[in-house]
Amino acid sequence: MFDLSTLNPPQREAVSHTEGPLLVLAGAGSGKTRVITCRIGHLLDKGVPAENILAVTFTNKAAGEMKERVRELVGRQRCKGMVISTFHSLGVKILRRDIERLGFKKNFSIYTTSDQLGLIRQALREANIDGKKHDAESMLWKISGWKNRLLRPEQVVPRYQDEDELLACGLYPRYQSALKACNAIDFDDIIMLTVALLQEQPEVLDHWQERFRYIMVDEYQDTNSSQYLFISLLARKYRNLCVVGDDDQSIYGWRGADVGNILDFEKEYPGCRVVKLEQNYRSTGMILEAANQVIRNNRTRKEKRLWTDAGDGRPIDLVVALDDEEEATAVVERLEMERYRHNLSYGDFAILYRTNSQSRAFEEQLRFESIPYVLIGGMQFYERKEVKDALCYLKVIDNPLDEQALLRVVNFPRRGIGDGTMVKLNQWSLANDCPLLEAFGRVAEIDGITEPTREKVLAFHRLISGAAAEFRQRGELAGRVKALFDRLGIEDELYRTIEEPAIARRKVENVEQIINSMASFEERIPGATLSGFLEKVSLMDEDRFSGKDKKEHGRDAVTLMSLHASKGLEFPYVFLVGLEEELLPHRKSLDEGVSLDEERRLCYVGITRARQHLTISRCVHRKKYGKLQEREPSRFLAEIPERLLQLHDGTAKKTVSAEEQEKLAGDFFARMRAMLE
């Protein structure tokens, strides 16, 4: 039998309440996974058959860990017949039994993204539609969005009267017919078809309702509308539904998660029991108080206040740097100081940021100091496609013989130089023993190329040759790079060809960071040249294949990751960087009506990742396209009480008098108070 006395009172209440709906509001670090696993053990002790228990979570990793913890708690034998899975794995299980009712065979295939794109391209060809003008990825993204809203082809009404939207609407039924002809479904179909099966086939619904009489859902704040309906159908008969989550950690609205599912649970299930888990077993009192003070400003939330009996801990360090390069230097210096002072490992530290483009300065500084790091949830900065594409222009300008770089950029952005023309240019350059770029300039001598195409080839040659002449002049490298990228229209191309605005915005920010990196290189290196900058980048890339690469990707390495990627993790020492308006909160929440509440929840998540100590940093100025621009401190920073913060000016190496430090603190906190008034 499971001993309930090992749980604190709210945990014990959540575990003991087994009949009827239950909402467990589990604050960060409050032991929610323990509650779920113990609740399963308690159900088994009460005599509930294992096959009547269902636990659902979001990732295979989380499901696997939950299974293992339940097995350790109750033994492997008692778990037989129990289902602990992701939403999609559960959907596949249901479809394998009864998908024939929807016109598919039981041995259906689940198509990967590449399989899906193949079907989309086939549909485009059959409709005689130019696949270069209307790319398959864009069409598939639109169809996926419709499926996640449970919209079948006949239910779709284009929201925008643009060509791509109308085209995708026409392709959707063709695509679904092609899938069915192959007895295949895609990833989005799994939930959509499962919901359709349960809605349209009462006997199927009854079977699974009888099978799963006790249902638990983890991370309920992250469910979207289709997942919500899926679980609601299964739980409708017995109403023994326990959902566990934290509305204060709902940070995935951009991918369809609806925080309203957890906020409105009590309306959907009148009379449900609500249990709040507020005792935190992770962080110090000062860290928790900062988190509480920030999140309390959200307009719509379930009231809860994290607390701990582990003591207050140290005040939160606040580093105010002159610019983003000094911010990176200051963070790395303080990281090293903490490591030596407390005899820590590099793996005890994490640097968290709002946008992946912010990683560039920290990556460069860590490499400069030979500190191992691992980048989570993204490629290293100089490995990102848009960064490589932009750098290849600089490589061709610096070295016109670099034909690999030339081939990469000749149609980025698209300029109408087709594959056939490139074959002719390449063959002519080989036959005449001249570099490929020179062949571009002599295109008039090449047969079989139309006059309009020749003009496009010559225009590209003039662009590269003109830029090369400009870069041979000394100084103003960052300004020349910005002018080149503007002339090329790289930003416009990314927004035009990438359907999802958030992804396009991140890629534009990454290209912007190349200019910022160039500006910083010029500041550090007197007489800096384009060749020198490209050499620095190449050597950084080469480091990945050196002996220290193994160390970087081992356990003893600093973790760099976005706030979105950090959810569910914890670190002894956390650096939460870039707390400025337009970064956190991100400018999209200010300019585009995106939820400011969700940005505040991101900040809350970042603060609560820290166990022993938290350092927050912000810049007075930050580079944008290589030029320093003044930055406003984040409104979230203003929401943290002064008594919780220890202010530091710039890098740890700077000496600031006591009088200057007092004046700096007074001015800063006065400004913070003014923001709140």
Side-chain angles (χ1 to χ4, degrees), residues 476-542:
E476 298 185 7
L477 289 177
R480 297 185 201 282
V481 172
K482 182 183 185 306
L484 173 66
F485 289 174
D486 287 346
R487 195 156 63 241
L488 291 167
I490 290 177
E491 180 175 331
D492 291 340
E493 176 76 358
L494 290 170
Y495 277 121
R496 187 182 68 81
T497 58
I498 299 172
E499 187 69 31
E500 190 171 350
I503 296 175
R505 187 185 300 110
R506 288 198 294 272
K507 291 181 180 293
V508 167
E509 289 170 350
N510 288 337
V511 172
E512 178 187 318
Q513 283 296 325
I514 298 174
I515 302 168
N516 295 341
S517 181
M518 178 74 82
S520 300
F521 181 71
E522 287 186 276
E523 291 170 5
R524 290 185 180 186
I525 310 296
T529 63
L530 179 60
S531 296
F533 175 74
L534 292 171
E535 180 181 303
K536 183 205 77 165
V537 171
S538 296
L539 290 175
M540 285 185 66
D541 192 56
E542 191 175 57

Side-chain angles (χ1 to χ4, degrees), residues 158-212:
R159 293 176 295 171
Y160 313 106
Q161 292 302 310
D162 66 68
E163 193 176 358
D164 275 359
E165 184 88 359
L166 292 168
L167 179 57
C169 191
L171 283 177
Y172 188 8
R174 286 172 175 260
Y175 171 68
Q176 287 301 99
S177 295
L179 278 172
K180 200 163 188 178
C182 298
N183 193 38
I185 65 175
D186 64 22
F187 196 72
D188 298 314
D189 283 328
I190 294 173
I191 303 297
M192 188 171 79
L193 292 178
T194 302
V195 169
L197 186 63
L198 296 177
Q199 287 179 322
E200 297 169 10
Q201 304 291 332
E203 61 273 31
V204 174
L205 176 61
D206 185 68
H207 168 83
W208 292 107
Q209 288 175 335
E210 287 294 328
R211 169 73 191 275
F212 300 129

Side-chain angles (χ1 to χ4, degrees), residues 147-161:
K147 289 187 177 186
N148 283 324
R149 298 200 303 274
L150 299 177
L151 295 176
R152 300 179 186 181
E154 65 274 12
Q155 297 172 312
V156 173
V157 177
R159 293 176 295 171
Y160 313 106
Q161 292 302 310

Side-chain angles (χ1 to χ4, degrees), residues 9-221:
Q11 289 175 335
R12 191 156 54 247
E13 181 183 359
V15 167
S16 301
H17 180 83
T18 58
E19 307 303 312
L22 171 67
L23 170 61
V24 180
L25 294 169
S30 61
K32 70 178 179 62
T33 305
R34 185 163 186 248
V35 165
I36 294 173
T37 54
C38 291
R39 193 170 188 275
I40 291 172
H42 185 62
L43 285 168
L44 293 172
D45 284 347
K46 283 188 63 178
V48 174
E51 58 267 22
N52 289 154
I53 298 173
L54 168 66
V56 185
T57 188
F58 276 84
T59 67
N60 288 315
K61 181 184 178 194
E65 289 174 352
M66 191 180 294
K67 285 178 187 176
E68 195 54 42
R69 291 181 68 166
V70 171
R71 286 168 183 160
E72 289 175 2
L73 186 68
V74 303
R76 190 174 297 267
Q77 188 64 31
R78 296 182 71 192
C79 293
K80 285 187 176 180
M82 186 186 306
V83 174
I84 300 176
S85 78
T86 64
F87 283 93
H88 287 87
S89 294
L90 176 61
V92 170
K93 182 181 183 71
I94 292 172
L95 291 175
R96 287 292 181 199
R97 180 180 182 272
D98 287 302
I99 198 172
E100 289 174 315
R101 296 170 183 257
L102 298 177
F104 291 83
K105 297 177 182 177
K106 285 187 178 180
N107 63 340
F108 62 87
S109 300
I110 302 173
Y111 269 19
T112 63
T113 301
S114 60
D115 297 325
Q116 293 173 264
L117 290 172
L119 286 185
I120 294 288
R121 292 188 182 107
Q122 178 185 326
L124 287 169
R125 286 193 299 270
E126 290 174 353
N128 293 316
I129 295 168
D130 185 353
K132 292 184 178 179
K133 184 179 178 183
H134 304 280
D135 64 282
E137 288 87 350
S138 173
M139 299 296 106
L140 186 58
W141 183 82
K142 288 180 182 293
I143 291 170
S144 176
W146 290 325
K147 289 187 177 186
N148 283 324
R149 298 200 303 274
L150 299 177
L151 295 176
R152 300 179 186 181
E154 65 274 12
Q155 297 172 312
V156 173
V157 177
R159 293 176 295 171
Y160 313 106
Q161 292 302 310
D162 66 68
E163 193 176 358
D164 275 359
E165 184 88 359
L166 292 168
L167 179 57
C169 191
L171 283 177
Y172 188 8
R174 286 172 175 260
Y175 171 68
Q176 287 301 99
S177 295
L179 278 172
K180 200 163 188 178
C182 298
N183 193 38
I185 65 175
D186 64 22
F187 196 72
D188 298 314
D189 283 328
I190 294 173
I191 303 297
M192 188 171 79
L193 292 178
T194 302
V195 169
L197 186 63
L198 296 177
Q199 287 179 322
E200 297 169 10
Q201 304 291 332
E203 61 273 31
V204 174
L205 176 61
D206 185 68
H207 168 83
W208 292 107
Q209 288 175 335
E210 287 294 328
R211 169 73 191 275
F212 300 129
R213 298 190 180 198
Y214 295 85
I215 301 173
M216 282 155 281
V217 183
D218 191 16
E219 304 286 9
Y220 193 67
Q221 77 280 350

Side-chain angles (χ1 to χ4, degrees), residues 381-399:
F381 180 76
Y382 289 108
E383 294 176 38
R384 294 164 185 162
K385 180 183 183 300
E386 63 278 7
V387 173
K388 285 186 173 182
D389 288 340
L391 282 175
C392 277
Y393 270 106
L394 303 183
K395 290 181 179 180
V396 172
I397 289 165
D398 185 60
N399 175 18

